[in-house]
């Protein structure tokens, strides 16, 4: 099966640009059209947070309008730029979302179980793992130990080396890492937030951050680096799963490319 992963789409109200520069809505429309045109088509789409930029309902409704163009079901998790209650209201028809508290969920998506942990902290940009989150995740993973599972979070649980991103990372992840290590059905931990593709061996599985469809954060691996981003490359991730080969994750670049060139 194929599962696409969008992240950090940062949609503004209609008529507004992301950072007053980037038409993030147009970029998301291009991603939606690309996913719909894939052969074979993904069966599900995951969205690992930051649907809007300031958390307002007009951003979320604009994002929702574009995402409703997907030809397959969507499972979305909020990020630090989303307001939890506005998000819950905007996705009130997503019956898997809880009516109160963090927007954790678990959904059977064909052969794969999707488990999402909402570690956002209302009003803050960093993430944090609390005891209640671990209790929910432990019970959820324990309930289906044989089921191949993808775990979703907005913030990666690791240090990126880009100092201005790491100031807003997910904190208190030691218990989470220990818990995930006890559950080898977790094929990968899929994240966003950092607007770059990163990989880390973590908790006995692979932690992965997807690209943003809006911008890419600059690769500035020194402590005093000033925050910076560029208009690309942007894209999404495509995860292929079968029980014999396991999970293989691809990164799809949405920028204009010359080609195709002859293979030989
Ligand atoms: Fe974020």
């Amino acid at each position: 099966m194929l599962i696409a992963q969008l992240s950090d789409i940062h949609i503004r109200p209609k008529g507004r640009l992301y950072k007053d520069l980037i038409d993030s809505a147009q970029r998301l429309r291009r991603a939606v059209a690309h996913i719909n045109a894939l052969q074979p088509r993904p069966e599900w789409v995951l969205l690992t947070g930051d649907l809007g930029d300031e958390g307002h309902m007009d951003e979320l409704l604009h994002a929702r309008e574009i995402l409703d163009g997907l030809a397959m079901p969507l499972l979305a998790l909020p990020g630090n730029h989303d307001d939890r209650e506005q998000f819950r209201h905007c996705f009130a028809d997503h019956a898997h979302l809880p009516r109160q508290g963090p927007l954790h969920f678990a959904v059977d998506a064909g052969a794969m179980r999707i488990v999402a942990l909402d570690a956002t902290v209302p009003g803050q940009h960093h993430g944090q793992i609390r005891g209640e989150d671990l209790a929910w995740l432990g019970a959820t993973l324990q309930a289906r130990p044989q089921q191949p599972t993808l775990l979703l979070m907005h913030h990666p649980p690791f240090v990126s080396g880009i100092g201005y991103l790491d100031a807003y990372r997910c904190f208190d992840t030691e218990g989470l890492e220990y818990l995930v290590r006890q559950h080898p059905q977790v094929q990968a931990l899929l994240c966003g937030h950092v607007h770059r593709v990163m990989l880390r061996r973590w908790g006995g599985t692979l932690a992965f951050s997807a690209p943003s469809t809006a911008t890419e954060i600059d690769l500035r691996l020194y402590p005093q680096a000033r925050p910076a981003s560029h208009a690309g490359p942007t894209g999404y991730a495509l995860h292929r799963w079968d029980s014999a080969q396991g999970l293989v994750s691809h990164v799809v670049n949405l920028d204009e490319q010359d080609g195709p060139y002859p293979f030989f």
Side-chain angles (χ1 to χ4, degrees), residues 145-255:
Q146 306 300 325
Q147 186 74 29
T149 298
L150 291 176
L151 179 59
L152 312 184
M153 286 172 55
H154 177 62
H155 303 76
F158 54 80
V159 171
S160 72
I162 302 177
Y164 55 85
L165 288 180
D166 291 331
Y168 307 108
R169 70 178 186 270
C170 189
F171 293 101
D172 300 334
T173 58
E174 297 81 3
L176 178 67
E177 182 167 15
Y178 179 82
L179 178 64
V180 171
R181 197 177 290 281
Q182 311 310 309
H183 294 279
Q185 78 265 31
V186 177
Q187 305 296 313
L189 167 59
L190 307 180
C191 310
H193 184 56
V194 287
H195 294 219
R196 289 193 70 84
V197 177
M198 299 181 199
L199 298 172
R200 186 179 186 244
R201 183 174 168 179
W202 180 89
T205 189
L206 183 71
F208 168 90
S209 64
S212 162
T213 56
T215 56
E216 185 177 80
I217 294 289
D218 282 14
L219 185 62
R220 297 188 175 192
L221 293 166
Y222 45 98
Q224 295 81 26
R226 293 171 61 84
S229 61
H230 274 79
T234 60
Y236 65 92
L238 186 64
H239 307 285
R240 181 186 184 278
W241 162 261
D242 73 49
S243 56
Q245 299 299 323
L247 190 76
V248 177
S249 296
H250 302 258
V251 175
V252 182
N253 187 317
L254 287 169
D255 302 325

Side-chain angles (χ1 to χ4, degrees), residues 2-151:
L2 290 173
I3 300 175
Q5 181 192 0
L6 293 164
S7 203
D8 299 87
I9 59 178
H10 287 276
I11 299 300
R12 300 304 324 274
K14 287 185 179 177
R16 298 277 307 276
L17 300 176
Y18 175 48
K19 298 184 184 294
D20 294 327
L21 292 168
I22 300 287
D23 190 346
S24 51
Q26 172 58 22
R27 287 169 174 231
L28 178 60
R29 278 189 218 99
R30 194 183 336 160
V32 166
H34 198 276
I35 292 170
N36 285 344
L38 284 172
Q39 292 291 339
R41 220 177 220 182
E43 293 167 57
W44 294 80
V45 176
L46 314 175
L47 209 176
T48 42
D50 286 354
L51 278 67
D53 194 49
E54 296 182 348
H56 302 157
M57 184 56 88
D58 49 359
E59 295 181 335
L60 289 172
L61 290 174
H62 189 194
R64 184 80 209 255
E65 183 180 310
I66 301 169
L67 293 165
D68 283 348
L70 286 165
M72 59 293 287
L74 172 75
L75 298 172
L77 179 71
N80 55 299
H81 285 266
D82 302 313
D83 178 275
R84 183 179 285 167
E85 298 312 320
Q86 304 268 30
F87 188 99
R88 196 189 320 269
H89 185 59
C90 182
F91 288 94
D93 58 327
H94 283 209
H96 56 272
L97 293 177
R99 299 262 173 92
Q100 58 187 17
L103 289 161
H104 309 319
F105 62 84
V107 170
D108 287 317
M112 188 63 77
R113 190 171 189 230
I114 309 295
V115 174
L117 190 72
D118 175 10
T120 59
V121 181
Q124 303 291 320
H125 283 300
H126 68 275
Q128 189 162 28
I129 305 295
R130 306 165 308 151
E132 307 94 283
D133 303 325
L134 289 181
W136 178 86
L137 184 64
T140 300
L141 293 175
Q142 189 63 43
R144 304 279 294 281
Q146 306 300 325
Q147 186 74 29
T149 298
L150 291 176
L151 179 59

